Amino acid sequence: MHAFQLNRDSEMFRASRVAMYEAGEPLFTRAQEAGEARRDASFDDVLRMITGIIATGYVSDEQRGRVLRFALDGIRTDKD
C-alpha cells in the first residue's frame, strides 16, 4: 500500500498540474520546432509515458534512469 493517497480532486493537485502544463508545453513545442523532438508526440503523451515509467518498481535507481533514457531517446528526432 502507498503511504498516502494522492487527492487528484484537490486544489493543490489541479494547480500543480496546470503549472506543469503551462511550463512544459511551450518548451516541448519549441523542441519540436527546432527539430529536436518528434512532431507526432504531444506534451501530454510524454508526460503520461514518464509518469508510467516512474511509477513502476525497479531493482535500482540506475535501472529506472536507464529505462527513462531509453523512452526519452524515442522522443528525440534522428540527427543523422
Side-chain angles (χ1 to χ4, degrees):
M1 287 293 274
H2 291 101
F4 63 93
Q5 183 66 29
L6 182 62
N7 182 357
R8 295 177 185 270
D9 295 324
S10 73
E11 182 59 35
M12 180 66 77
F13 183 87
R14 284 192 301 268
S16 296
R17 187 174 192 281
V18 167
M20 184 171 38
Y21 276 81
E22 285 177 351
E25 282 181 318
L27 293 173
F28 189 69
T29 299
R30 285 187 6 218
Q32 288 174 313
E33 290 168 353
E36 296 293 330
R38 297 170 55 142
R39 290 191 176 270
D40 62 342
S42 70
F43 178 71
D44 188 63
D45 295 338
V46 175
L47 188 61
R48 289 173 188 274
M49 177 184 67
I50 291 170
T51 301
I53 291 169
I54 297 301
T56 302
Y58 294 91
V59 173
S60 66
D61 289 340
E62 291 78 17
Q63 184 185 39
R64 177 182 285 117
R66 278 194 311 275
V67 171
L68 186 56
R69 283 191 302 276
F70 297 154
L72 292 176
D73 282 346
I75 297 299
R76 294 184 183 97
T77 57
D78 291 331
K79 288 296 194 175
D80 299 354

